[in-house]
Amino acid sequence: MKDWLPDLRRSNSPRYMAIADLIEMDLRSGVLVVGDRLPAQRELARKLSMDFTTVARGYVEAKKRGLIDTHVGRGTFVIGGHDKERRGFALDFAPDPRRLPAVDYSMNMPPEPNDPDLVEHMREGLCAVASSLVPLLRYQPFGGAEMDKDAAAAWLSRRALVPSQERIFATPGAHPALLAILTMLTKPGQVILSESVTYPGIRSIAAQLRLSMHGLPMDEHGILPDALADACATRSPKALYLNPTLQNPTTLTIPLQRREEICAIARKFRLPIIEDDAYGFIPLHSPPPLATMAPDLTWHIGGLAKCIGAGLRLAYVVAPDTKSAWPFIAAMKANNVMASPLNTALATRWIEDGTADMILRFIRSETSTRQRIVTELLPAGSYKADPISFNIWLPLTNGWTRSSFGAHMRNAQIGIVASDAFTVEGKPEEAVRVCLGGPITREKLRSGLEFMAHALEGTPEMAGSFF
């Protein structure tokens, strides 16, 4: 609220005190809410025909009361109050130790924000959302409110996607969306295609739905077009699942020409594509999504877990057309009812006020730094990675097996996941995914990677592991 203008006649206090009093009064009455931006001090002084110093003293007094906070370059914002009577307008950000569970280092997580200014931006967004807390506790129409879809459209447009609102849905994460889409497209016993080494989540969902998965052979550019065409002709697949950018776990990104070839084959056989674009926002420059090349065939899932935070449990889904949107809504409602309105509102706020961009920039920067640590410690060519991926794909040598290596690294606070989890068919190769993100600090990551590099130089017996 940049146009807030206090009526000084409502307070008998000195004029600078009156400014603080009126901020507090308007906060109590709801004229001001947590997260509102107040006028700049000089602007307010001009509107009130008041000396700048008087307004500045009023803002200082309001800050002492815990009503506002000022950030250089961004302005002055309402944050609430300190005392018990005003606690309804403020959030206590002291961590509750009961909310600090054990970390699952096996998950492929982005580095966690630790920059104070960034964290403060995130908190301000949370305060702003809290001002609408009660309405956000209601049941909501599936897919998000109009403003949420507008924010989703703005976010997806950075990936060159420009779907209509009728085709965009805020869903409670990529997993429920994958489950709903496959429930619509398939029946038990039918075949879906994927990379030969692919994301474990799709394997779990396929198993739950009793689907047959066929893994397509890959080269350094992704699945082989000839293998895709042959599978379409001989196996009658009902869908093709791909994780085309910074693929989990191999970190490869399918280049533009290969994407075009894949889409041409899918179009020939009218094969639906499920594009899991979990990491699509991480690179500054990456090929356009498959959904821009075959929009009428592609279910695009733009999850926020990797580019903002997994705790939001939010993904934006773009349906191929409005006709397919109705059964998708029905399938999603049957399993999940709706995405959390609180989480959806927070994501919308962060997208609108630029916080989401700040988080994304932090993730890119910190991930690049962590990948540089890897290049310092591991020989070039001994692993697969992208300069901005959250993990590396590590083939094992010198007699190391997946089980022996995982056991050796068990206490290193680095997530090690054996290739078994990612292998669709056949015998898994002796390889592991090594995660670099999550709450682990750079220092601990370096220490863990040094321990790992030392072990890889020799055999399991030399490292003291006997399996």
Side-chain angles (χ1 to χ4, degrees):
M1 181 180 289
K2 297 181 180 179
D3 57 350
W4 178 75
L5 188 65
D7 182 357
L8 299 180
R9 294 171 299 180
R10 294 165 56 203
S11 173
N12 295 323
S13 302
R15 302 184 83 189
Y16 82 93
M17 291 286 287
I19 291 173
D21 290 344
L22 291 167
I23 291 174
E24 186 169 358
M25 290 179 193
D26 286 348
L27 186 56
R28 290 177 184 276
S29 66
V31 173
L32 291 174
V33 297
V34 172
D36 275 349
R37 182 177 179 179
L38 296 181
Q41 295 174 19
R42 292 190 183 280
E43 178 186 356
L44 186 59
R46 180 182 58 79
K47 289 183 176 180
L48 293 175
S49 300
M50 185 181 293
D51 182 75
F52 168 78
T53 304
T54 303
V55 174
R57 289 181 66 192
Y59 275 34
V60 168
E61 175 60 25
K63 188 171 183 178
K64 287 180 180 178
R65 300 184 192 181
L67 300 169
I68 64 173
D69 199 7
T70 300
H71 301 270
V72 177
R74 293 194 293 115
T76 300
F77 296 84
V78 176
I79 63 171
H82 286 319
D83 59 45
K84 185 174 181 180
E85 186 179 8
R86 290 192 289 264
R87 284 293 292 277
F89 304 107
L91 294 179
D92 182 1
F93 289 112
D96 185 337
R98 297 171 299 174
R99 294 289 183 193
L100 301 175
V103 178
D104 183 357
Y105 286 99
S106 68
M107 301 298 287
N108 205 25
M109 299 177 281
E112 292 187 355
N114 57 9
D115 176 76
D117 288 340
L118 172 54
V119 173
E120 183 60 28
H121 271 281
M122 296 167 71
R123 289 173 171 173
E124 287 172 0
L126 193 57
C127 285
V129 169
S131 66
S132 303
L133 181 61
V134 172
L136 291 173
L137 295 178
R138 302 170 187 154
Y139 284 106
Q140 313 268 325
F142 177 80
E146 183 176 347
M147 66 181 297
D148 300 316
K149 293 196 173 193
D150 285 342
W155 187 249
L156 293 169
S157 69
R158 303 168 195 215
R159 296 285 287 130
L161 290 164
V162 287
S164 62
Q165 271 204 6
E166 292 78 14
R167 293 169 53 211
I168 301 174
F169 302 94
T171 69
H175 266 247
L178 287 168
L179 178 62
I181 293 167
L182 285 174
T183 299
M184 294 167 45
L185 298 179
T186 65
K187 296 178 181 179
Q190 293 180 329
V191 174
I192 63 169
L193 307 177
S194 72
E195 308 99 332
S196 58
V197 177
T198 194
Y199 168 55
I202 192 68
R203 296 185 61 218
S204 299
I205 292 171
Q208 181 178 337
L209 296 178
R210 293 181 291 159
L211 303 176
S212 175
M213 283 194 72
H214 176 62
L216 299 171
M218 306 162 66
D219 62 13
E220 69 274 15
H221 298 311
I223 61 170
L224 301 178
D226 288 345
L228 172 61
D230 181 68
C232 288
T234 60
R235 295 177 178 268
S236 302
K238 297 303 177 182
L240 167 65
Y241 168 86
L242 290 176
N243 179 203
T245 303
L246 298 180
Q247 195 248 10
N248 180 9
T250 65
T251 77
L252 70 81
T253 292
I254 301 176
L256 177 60
Q257 182 176 344
R258 181 66 60 86
R259 294 181 186 224
E260 291 172 340
E261 292 171 343
I262 290 169
C263 288
I265 295 168
R267 187 171 299 284
K268 176 181 177 180
F269 289 94
R270 298 305 300 168
L271 178 67
I273 300 171
I274 303 174
E275 180 176 30
D276 187 354
D277 204 33
Y279 303 90
F281 285 94
I282 304 302
L284 278 171
H285 305 287
S286 61
L290 301 169
T292 64
M293 304 173 191
D296 56 321
L297 293 176
T298 305
W299 289 89
H300 180 88
I301 304 174
L304 301 187
K306 311 302 182 183
C307 57
I308 298 182
L312 281 175
R313 301 314 307 141
L314 202 67
Y316 298 135
V317 173
V318 180
D321 50 51
T322 53
K323 180 180 178 181
S324 56
W326 292 107
F328 174 70
I329 292 172
M332 287 296 306
K333 282 180 145 182
N335 285 314
N336 302 99
V337 182
M338 63 182 180
S340 165
L342 278 168
N343 294 1
T344 305
L346 182 58
T348 294
R349 177 74 184 199
W350 281 350
I351 290 170
E352 290 178 341
D353 69 11
T355 302
D357 282 316
M358 294 178 66
I359 296 172
L360 190 51
R361 285 194 295 270
F362 169 84
I363 290 172
R364 288 172 179 152
S365 175
E366 182 64 22
T367 299
S368 296
T369 298
R370 295 180 180 212
Q371 283 287 352
R372 286 194 294 271
I373 295 174
V374 175
T375 62
E376 294 173 15
L377 299 175
L378 297 182
S382 64
Y383 61 94
K384 295 179 182 179
D386 185 279
I388 205 165
S389 60
F390 301 163
N391 69 283
I392 65 173
W393 182 244
L394 180 67
L396 299 172
T397 58
N398 292 339
W400 284 101
T401 64
R402 309 184 301 278
S403 59
S404 63
F405 188 75
H408 185 74
M409 295 295 297
R410 184 174 295 126
N411 298 319
Q413 288 191 322
I414 297 178
I416 305 292
V417 182
S419 58
D420 307 63
F422 309 97
T423 304
V424 177
E425 297 173 298
K427 182 180 179 181
E429 64 176 302
E430 294 295 349
V432 295
R433 185 187 70 183
V434 181
C435 302
L436 309 176
I440 189 172
T441 64
R442 291 183 195 175
E443 293 74 20
K444 288 185 177 180
L445 176 65
R446 177 180 287 276
S447 176
L449 290 174
E450 287 174 344
F451 177 73
M452 184 177 81
H454 176 72
L456 292 171
E457 289 174 359
T459 66
E461 291 77 15
M462 291 173 61
S465 299
F466 301 92
F467 299 94

